[in-house]
């Protein structure tokens, strides 16, 4: 058979019969070096149980060390624990046993395999019974019985009921014990297995004896004896005859009772619990017969066994408490670590929140500052514009337009290029104010400003330089071009509609042009003003060009 076939046949999570197990282990031994890790775990578990059965406990526990690793799947670890705990029980190493039991209970929620779940649950009742903690033992025995039902295996169910019956008996709850054994009997009768039926009848006999139902108890004990003989089950044989001895003693038949005790005495050496009962009964019988010397001998034997049993129970109980204490300490430590961890996470969260708050505040502050800056910037621009522009006409004011013009004039003067200045003045403006009111005058000013901006704005720069006076500067423009521009502008000037009136508006212009001969802009403006004056004198609504010869004429 190949390795795969052999592994396929073996279910390491159930209790494989000893002979089958031995064969399997021997067949697998030469193939072990070809095994995958998963196959190796199966082989290890089979070997572990085989070694335990054959008495090589230390080799078996050596394998436990290889399997007790968190990376190995829970079912494999669990099976290893269930084998190890039995070894520790046999070795009387109860501290180790309780430690393993603790591991089993922690791992149990991860186990799905029904038989393995049953096995894991069935170990606790026995070990707690050993420690004399029958309350805990009963609790686990009841849950083991539930798990046993899920396996649908009669033997598992019977074993679990046997444990329950025995615990009830130890607790003195004989009626409940009887009930458990009767159920056990019902179920195991179908298997026809004499061992199980024998043990069920043994249990039943003991619980009936405790209830003083001697005849019924005797009948069960007799049947149990036959069945245990048939199964070649020594423990059962001793137990049934011990029960019979106890029944006969209770019935007053000391002779028969003594007979049964003598029969089982040589076979009972390994069973401390039975020995104790045998010695007690032997002592009673001797005492009843008035044979006090012999009674004393049995009493001594009884005391010695009792002491052994008490010591054993005490040690086991101490082991149980020690492990419970260690586990609790460990749990508290883990709990404390968890709390510290939580605190750390909380702190981290807090830091994170603080960081976010700081970030948000910084962004908010930045936005507020930005907003304030933008507002201030806008305000500055407004003030700047206010300082540059005339509020009524939206043309440049005198100061600003002259500053601008000055710069341009400087360049043109330097290069000897033409530069013309035009001063425009509304004719008879005072009359407009006087006739139609100041508001009408304002409207006329705005209309004129708009026309001038349209005509002059594209060619040069224009500003309001007096009440009803405007000045335009044209870099690089000839006399002819300036004249054309003014004529075009005059044509665009239409009467201004104000309320029901149509106000006629005309302009007078004075022009002065420099072709490099003017040293300053002011003199050029002054000459343009002179030309304007001339236009006014000549009847208005016209332009006049300033000529140097005019100046000379004026001088003469
Ligand atoms: N409505 C209005 N009138 C203004 C403003 N600034 C100056 N004025 C008026 O403009 C008029 C200028 O009148 P004058 O200097 O006598 O000149 P004019 O009446 O136009 O006569 P000529 O220039 O000789 O044609 C004055 O009555 C000022 O009060 C203004 O901003 N709005």
């Amino acid at each position: 058979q190949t390795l795969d076939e052999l592994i396929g046949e073996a279910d390491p999570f159930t209790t494989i019969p000893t002979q089958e197990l031995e064969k399997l282990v021997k067949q697998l031994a030469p193939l072990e070096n070809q095994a995958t890790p998963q196959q190796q775990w199966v082989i290890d578990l089979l070997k572990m149980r085989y070694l335990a059965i054959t008495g090589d406990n230390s080799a078996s526990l050596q394998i436990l060390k290889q399997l007790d690793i968190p990376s190995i799947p829970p079912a494999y670890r669990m099976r290893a624990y269930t084998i190890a705990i039995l070894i520790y029980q046999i070795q009387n190493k109860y501290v180790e046993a309780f430690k393993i039991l603790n591991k089993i209970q922690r791992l149990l929620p991860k186990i799905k395999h029904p038989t393995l779940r049953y096995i894991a649950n069935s170990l606790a009742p026995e070990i707690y019974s050993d420690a004399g903690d029958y309350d805990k033992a009963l609790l686990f025995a009841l849950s083991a019985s539930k798990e046993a039902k899920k396996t649908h295996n009669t033997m598992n169910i019977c074993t679990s009921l046997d444990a329950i019956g025995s615990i009830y008996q130890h607790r003195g709850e004989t009626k409940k014990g009887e009930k458990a054994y009767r159920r056990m009997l019902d179920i195991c009768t179908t298997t026809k297995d004499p061992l199980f039926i024998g043990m069920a009848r043994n249990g039943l006999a003991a619980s009936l004896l405790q209830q003083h139902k001697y005849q019924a108890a005797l009948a069960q004990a007799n049947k149990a004896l036959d069945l245990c003989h048939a199964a070649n089950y020594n423990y059962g044989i001793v137990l049934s005859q011990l029960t019979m001895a106890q029944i006969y003693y209770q019935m007053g038949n000391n002779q028969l009772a003594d007979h049964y005790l003598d029969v089982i005495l040589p076979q009972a050496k390994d069973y401390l619990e039975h020995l104790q009962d045998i010695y007690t009964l032997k002592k009673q019988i001797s005492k009843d017969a008035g044979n006090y010397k012999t009674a004393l001998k049995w009493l001594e034997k009884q005391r010695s066994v009792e002491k052994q049993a008490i010591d054993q129970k005490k040690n086991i109980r101490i082991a149980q408490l020690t492990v419970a204490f260690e586990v609790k300490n460990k749990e508290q430590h883990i709990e404390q670590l968890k709390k510290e961890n939580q605190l750390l996470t909380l702190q981290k969260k807090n830091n994170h929140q603080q960081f976010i708050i700081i970030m948000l505040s910084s962004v908010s502050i930045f936005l507020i500052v930005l907003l304030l800056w933008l507002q201030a910037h806008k305000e500055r621009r407004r003030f700047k514009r206010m300082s540059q522009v005339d509020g009524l006409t939206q043309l440049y004011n005198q100061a600003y337009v002259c500053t601008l013009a000055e710069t341009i004039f400087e360049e043109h003067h330097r290069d000897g290029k033409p530069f013309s200045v035009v001063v425009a003045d509304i004719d008879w403006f005072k009359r407009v104010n006087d006739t139609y009111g100041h508001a009408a005058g304002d409207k006329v000013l705005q209309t004129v400003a708009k026309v001038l901006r349209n005509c002059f704005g594209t060619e040069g720069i224009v500003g309001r330089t007096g009440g009803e006076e405007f000045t335009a500067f044209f870099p690089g423009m000839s006399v002819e071009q300036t004249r054309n521009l003014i004529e075009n502008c005059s044509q665009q000037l239409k009467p201004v509609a104000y309320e029901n009136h149509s106000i006629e508006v005309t302009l007078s212009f004075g022009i002065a042009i420099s072709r490099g001969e003017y040293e300053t802009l002011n003199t050029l403006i002054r000459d343009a003003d002179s030309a304007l004056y001339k236009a006014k004198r000549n009847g208005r609504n016209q332009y006049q060009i300033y000529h140097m010869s005019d100046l000379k004429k004026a001088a003469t």
Side-chain angles (χ1 to χ4, degrees):
Q1 269 182 306
T2 66
L3 179 68
D4 286 344
E5 283 168 354
L6 287 169
I7 296 279
E9 276 174 22
D11 181 355
F13 308 126
T14 53
T15 314
I16 301 171
T18 314
Q19 280 183 347
E20 246 177 75
L21 181 68
E22 185 175 6
K23 199 177 140 200
L24 206 55
V25 169
K26 284 188 175 152
Q27 281 176 306
L28 282 167
L31 304 169
E32 213 176 310
N33 54 353
Q34 310 164 17
T36 63
Q38 194 152 353
Q39 286 174 333
Q40 188 60 52
W41 299 330
V42 175
I43 295 170
D44 283 348
L45 285 176
L46 297 174
K47 266 167 57 182
M48 199 180 161
R49 185 155 166 265
Y50 179 69
L51 289 166
I53 289 171
T54 53
D56 195 348
N57 290 334
S58 61
S60 184
L61 290 174
Q62 204 58 40
I63 298 178
L64 171 73
K65 278 188 196 158
Q66 292 163 28
L67 291 171
D68 191 10
I69 300 167
S71 59
I72 290 178
Y76 295 91
R77 270 187 284 152
M78 179 61 105
R79 185 59 181 135
Y81 295 153
T82 60
I83 299 166
I85 199 169
L86 294 172
I87 297 174
Y88 286 130
Q89 262 175 294
I90 291 166
Q91 291 182 332
N92 261 326
K93 290 183 178 168
Y94 275 89
V95 172
E96 302 305 321
F98 275 109
K99 278 183 185 169
I100 295 280
L101 189 62
N102 190 260
K103 287 186 180 194
I104 288 176
Q105 278 156 8
R106 279 172 184 276
L107 203 58
L108 207 52
K110 290 186 182 164
I111 304 297
K112 297 277 178 294
H113 194 292
T115 308
L116 186 56
R117 277 190 69 81
Y118 162 67
I119 294 173
N121 270 287
S122 67
L123 297 161
E126 197 181 327
I127 193 167
Y128 282 119
S129 291
D130 287 351
D133 189 346
Y134 293 109
D135 291 344
K136 265 217 172 104
L138 183 63
L139 219 71
F140 285 107
L142 291 171
S143 66
S145 169
K146 271 189 203 159
E147 295 296 337
K149 276 182 203 155
K150 288 183 200 160
T151 65
H152 303 290
N153 180 306
T154 320
M155 286 196 191
N156 293 343
I157 299 169
C158 286
T159 312
S160 70
L161 284 167
D162 192 17
I164 293 174
S166 149
I167 295 164
Y168 275 132
Q169 221 134 283
H170 275 105
R171 286 160 63 97
E173 296 178 72
T174 47
K175 280 248 159 61
K176 285 184 181 170
E178 183 190 340
K179 206 175 143 194
Y181 282 121
R182 281 202 189 282
R183 273 228 316 279
M184 180 181 169
L185 187 60
D186 282 349
I187 294 166
C188 65
T189 307
T190 58
T191 65
K192 298 198 170 64
D193 185 330
L195 193 147
F196 279 96
I197 307 171
M199 284 314 284
R201 290 200 186 279
N202 260 334
L204 204 50
S207 60
L208 289 167
L209 165 65
Q210 280 184 349
Q211 294 171 64
H212 311 291
K213 296 175 182 170
Y214 302 127
Q215 289 303 335
L218 202 58
Q220 292 298 344
N222 263 313
K223 284 183 191 167
L225 182 60
D226 290 345
L227 287 158
C228 290
H229 269 305
N232 207 9
Y233 184 42
N234 194 48
Y235 180 90
I237 294 167
V238 173
L239 183 59
S240 45
Q241 292 181 97
L242 173 61
T243 311
M244 277 154 78
Q246 285 168 330
I247 298 166
Y248 280 123
Y249 179 76
Q250 292 294 330
M251 288 166 77
N253 192 343
N254 286 20
Q255 206 181 346
L256 211 47
D258 204 29
H259 161 72
Y260 278 110
L261 291 177
D262 287 340
V263 170
I264 57 174
L265 200 53
Q267 309 164 41
K269 293 232 162 11
D270 296 334
Y271 317 124
L272 212 62
E273 216 180 317
H274 293 344
L275 267 182
Q276 213 178 321
D277 290 340
I278 292 168
Y279 293 153
T280 311
L281 205 51
K282 271 281 194 191
K283 176 201 75 186
Q284 273 317 118
I285 292 168
S286 303
K287 205 174 122 193
D288 290 352
N291 198 347
Y292 295 110
K293 216 175 169 184
T294 322
L296 205 65
K297 188 189 90 189
W298 290 119
L299 179 67
E300 272 169 17
K301 285 194 178 221
Q302 179 204 334
R303 286 269 162 83
S304 136
V305 176
E306 233 168 41
K307 192 177 173 309
Q308 269 183 57
I310 288 170
D311 282 351
Q312 197 184 32
K313 267 209 164 59
K314 204 167 73 190
N315 286 339
I316 299 170
R317 185 75 170 160
I318 288 168
Q320 180 195 347
L321 295 175
T322 310
V323 174
F325 181 74
E326 274 177 19
V327 168
K328 199 163 180 181
N329 253 359
K330 210 168 171 182
E331 274 170 1
Q332 272 175 352
H333 184 65
I334 289 169
E335 201 55 37
Q336 197 181 338
L337 281 177
K338 266 190 199 162
K339 272 187 191 149
E340 277 170 18
N341 222 13
Q342 273 173 356
L343 210 74
L344 225 73
T345 332
L346 217 72
Q347 247 167 14
K348 262 189 203 165
K349 209 171 142 189
N350 237 353
N351 286 350
H352 186 67
Q353 277 174 349
Q354 267 177 10
F355 174 75
I356 288 179
I357 289 170
I358 290 170
M359 277 302 288
L360 283 177
S361 332
S362 307
V363 170
S364 311
I365 291 169
F366 172 76
L367 284 176
I368 290 167
V369 168
L370 184 72
L371 217 75
L372 288 173
W373 184 85
L374 282 174
Q375 225 164 12
H377 182 69
K378 212 169 134 187
E379 209 55 9
R380 265 203 310 277
R381 277 178 57 173
R382 201 167 69 85
F383 280 126
K384 195 174 170 190
R385 197 175 152 72
M386 267 168 65
S387 67
Q388 294 171 347
V389 171
D390 166 55
L392 183 70
T393 60
Q394 298 302 312
L395 290 178
Y396 291 132
N397 59 29
Q398 183 177 21
Y400 190 65
V401 82
C402 287
T403 314
L404 277 181
E406 197 80 54
T407 322
I408 305 166
F409 175 79
E410 288 295 326
E411 283 172 22
H412 280 71
H413 173 67
R414 225 181 12 249
D415 299 344
K417 284 181 190 166
F419 187 95
S420 63
V421 174
V422 176
V423 184
D425 190 283
I426 304 170
D427 297 329
W428 308 118
F429 186 61
K430 188 172 178 306
R431 284 188 201 163
V432 176
N433 272 339
D434 293 348
T435 316
Y436 305 106
H438 201 82
D442 280 355
K443 193 172 179 194
V444 168
L445 280 170
Q446 284 171 331
T447 311
V448 169
K450 205 170 164 184
V451 171
L452 291 179
R453 189 188 299 113
N454 284 345
C455 301
F456 297 162
T458 48
E459 305 297 330
I461 49 172
V462 58
R464 185 183 177 195
T465 46
E468 85 295 20
E469 188 191 274
F470 304 91
T471 309
F473 304 89
F474 301 105
M477 198 176 276
S478 68
V479 178
E480 202 55 37
Q481 285 169 323
T482 314
R483 244 186 349 220
N484 287 342
L485 206 62
I486 288 171
E487 276 164 13
N488 181 28
C489 191
S490 297
Q491 276 168 16
Q492 282 187 34
L493 206 59
K494 298 284 180 295
V496 177
Y498 180 74
E499 292 177 347
N500 296 326
H501 312 287
S502 172
I503 306 165
E504 282 287 340
V505 183
T506 59
L507 290 173
S508 294
F509 300 93
I511 307 167
I513 295 180
S514 164
R515 293 174 199 80
E517 62 271 40
Y518 282 91
E519 282 301 319
T520 65
L521 182 63
N522 274 343
T523 38
L524 192 61
I525 294 171
R526 187 201 63 203
D527 286 352
D529 259 337
S530 300
L532 170 68
Y533 181 66
K534 191 177 170 190
K536 288 275 179 187
R537 265 190 318 179
N538 279 3
R540 298 176 171 82
N541 191 19
Q542 59 184 272
Y543 63 82
Q544 285 297 328
I545 301 169
Y546 181 83
H547 294 292
M548 285 293 192
S549 52
D550 292 347
L551 189 73
K552 279 173 196 156
K553 261 188 221 162
T556 51

